[in-house]
Amino acid sequence: DGGITQSPKYLFRKEGQNVTLSCEQNLNHDAMYWYRQDPGQGLRLIYYSQIVNDFQKGDIAEGYSVSREKKESFPLTVTSAQKNPTAFYLCASIGNSMTSGGYTFGSGTRLTVV
Amino acid sequence: GDSVTQMEGPVTLSEEAFLTINCTYTATGYPSLFWYVQYPGEGLQLLLKATKADDKGSNKGFEATYRKETTSFHLEKGSVQVSDSAVYFCALRSDYKLSFGAGTTVTVRA
């Protein structure tokens, strides 16, 4: 079945470390997104990419970085510059603008700073 | 820009009660509209969608009708169950991106 796979499900980071969250999709979707969700809060857009080798900052990009070297993959790096990284991170993808569908989401990665 | 305003929660109901979550939107053109559901510790799942005015999306007993005249897409269910306890998000699509409401937490008590 097609879908989005996020890994790991749980991740622990020490202060000052960079960590990378994986997101892979086999839906042949053009665009991919990273969202952050804090407890009891909505979704905030970190970065998105509409095509390979191109990406744009979302509303809260500071302290994060991404790459899009392959259509299927959109990893997110949480850098040491992100002062409050503990959150639930969601990856999503969407087909091209000629379709009417919504996002397909991964199951999320919960990042905790220890 | 495009935006979604969603009824604030939390909402607490008894089993078999009627559920309504209000959602209104602001957009240019005629966007597709969605309801997503998020269970604890999980990602968001598409619950239902509507792509044009007067369309009714339905799934698992939930319904929502795309009302262009009132720019609304309210979610309803006639008889909720404990298993419907979750966070519900209204969203609209503009080109490649979705804009989400803040989410409404629903708790159903037995």
Side-chain angles (χ1 to χ4, degrees), chain B residues 38-91:
Chain B
Q38 184 180 33
Y39 300 103
E42 298 183 10
L44 277 68
Q45 302 173 23
L46 180 64
L47 181 58
L48 53 83
K49 72 174 187 180
T51 58
K52 61 183 186 297
D54 299 325
D55 265 3
K56 177 185 283 187
S58 61
N59 186 26
K60 299 180 181 180
F62 290 89
E63 293 183 340
T65 300
Y66 191 140
R67 301 286 188 199
K68 185 164 67 80
E69 63 277 11
T70 54
T71 61
S72 65
F73 193 55
H74 305 321
L75 182 69
E76 297 180 338
K77 185 173 185 181
S79 178
V80 294
Q81 305 300 312
V82 173
S83 57
D84 293 323
S85 298
V87 182
Y88 294 83
F89 291 91
C90 184

Side-chain angles (χ1 to χ4, degrees), chain A residues 10-58:
Chain A
Y10 299 97
L11 186 58
F12 297 90
R13 192 194 93 168
K14 293 182 180 179
E15 296 276 358
Q17 277 186 337
N18 293 354
V19 290
T20 298
L21 284 60
S22 171
C23 178
E24 303 277 335
Q25 55 101 356
N26 60 2
L27 299 163
N28 199 33
H29 281 173
D30 295 322
M32 298 184 74
Y33 305 81
W34 275 106
Y35 286 89
R36 170 180 172 141
Q37 187 178 31
D38 293 285
Q41 302 296 312
L43 305 175
R44 292 189 288 170
L45 182 62
I46 304 172
Y47 269 98
Y48 63 101
S49 167
Q50 294 185 353
I51 57 172
V52 174
N53 293 323
D54 188 44
F55 49 83
Q56 287 78 40
K57 293 181 179 180

